[in-house]
Amino acid sequence: MNVAGNLGFLKISSHERCESYIVFHAETSLSNGIRAFLYFVALAYCFIGLSSITARFFKSMENIVKHTRQIVEIDPSTGTELIKYEKVWNYTIADITLLAFGTSFPQISLAIIDSIQNIGQLNAGGLGPGTLVGSAAFDLFPIHAVCVVVPKAGTLKKISDIGVWLVELFWSFWAYVWLYIILEVWTPKIITLSEAVLTVLQFGLLLVHAYVQDKQWPYLSIPLGRSDRPEEWVPENETLFINGHDTRESNDNCCEILQVSEGQESNVVDIFSIHSSKDTDLAYKIVPDNDTEEPSELYCNKMVDNERDILSVWMQQFLDALRLESTESNKMVSFYLRIGRVLWKLIIMPWRLLFAFVPPYQIAHGWIAFIGSLSFISGIAYVVTKLTEGISCVTGINPYVIAFTALASGTSWPDLVASKIAAERQITADSAIANIICSNSVNIYIGIGIPWLIDTTYNVFVYQQPLYIQNAGGLSFSLLVFFTTSAACIAVLVLRRITLGAELGGPKLWAWLTSTYFMFLWLLFVVLSSLKVSGKI
């Protein structure tokens, strides 16, 4: 038997024929090798779809977070009315809930769907927890590896709000310690209803603790100030072009942020403008970046096409989905690049047409588009679970191995995109690193907590039994490996802070060495976890 067969990872030729199918019964007449190839291609195409719908999800999320409310006060000295505008959302809470939750929603959906499919069984499903732990490793190692090298050569970007980062880091580490405790110490290999409830409730404690630290309440927060927190998360000297005009030529104090429409080439909206005082709604207003201060003045209120017909905008989404070339692609000198772009547009056209049914994000401050995007993400996650079951069936690969690798990497793509944008465009490292840390916390408290809560509740009321974790040993071992490697990762970030003065960027040689080190930690986690769940160590 060859090495691959010894490891139990992949030996398709000798694996017994899989009689289950995904779409047509005729699939069973194909060889296992051909079926595995087709299922892997379909899985990759689903991950492309997740990237496409994530762009629309971010647009709706941005509209939700930038929503402001009007406050009317009377000036006691003059008696005149003062109209103030303040943001509804606290920035830190928005980071943890909408941003981190949104980028983690593919993994969360997959875990919940896996849980519902296994409801009524005493043993928990394996895809959900495996994917979420693997996703946490992907978030921490490869995404940090990308973020540390994307700033321009020599540019240093550090965390300005150390207090909030320490709070988020504590709850992220504690999440995995807690998971190990309930799997191996408190009730070994069993999840009780009380443990599931406590797991979910700790997400609320994270929100409260982070909010207290953001507000810097005395005696309840870490006494660390925001040393150099910028007023603008998008630098003022960055050139933004709107309708072909350089915004730096504006004669007033109003600054506009480029909104990415479906007709433009960028597939990702500038989601981090939620941290800027620049508003991207139809009415452009400036409100204070630091929501601990009371907004004192409405600087300007520039109305832009306020009577726009929403139906025509919705129709434009379908037209944009069918467009193969744009002004940008027409300017390309290379014929082959243009052909490549057109072919890529043809590949993703079915996804773009499907997602065009999501209502425009200008409706109801983006909430309808937000919910619609989550629905499509859930649908793709369901298809992903069926494809994963098919791959496991035809190849004999342990489902946990697939979860640690393919599923974790593919569903974590939104996290990678979001953090990369922050590392490139923001003048601090706060958003890039906070998104990584908070996503890991959300993965455990929500992504694992809610599915286990669903299953344990059903088992307790129907069978008067807890939820059994069939591969608890493999999962616990992965938690230990992750905890050790993540400590090594954080140690290097702290070392960079001490020696270089920043977590991200710096001299290219050191940035690439750090990136390589992070990727080594990820490979170490994947290999050791896969060997354990396959029973080889």
Side-chain angles (χ1 to χ4, degrees), residues 456-477:
T456 53
T457 302
Y458 185 91
N459 286 1
V460 167
F461 283 98
V462 176
Y463 305 119
Q464 289 76 49
Q465 292 284 332
L467 180 66
Y468 296 91
I469 308 300
Q470 198 168 21
N471 200 358
L475 188 59
S476 300
F477 178 83

Side-chain angles (χ1 to χ4, degrees), residues 35-55:
R35 291 177 68 185
F37 173 76
L38 293 176
Y39 292 162
F40 272 114
V41 170
L43 188 65
Y45 195 64
C46 285
F47 292 153
I48 293 174
L50 281 177
S51 298
S52 299
I53 190 60
T54 298

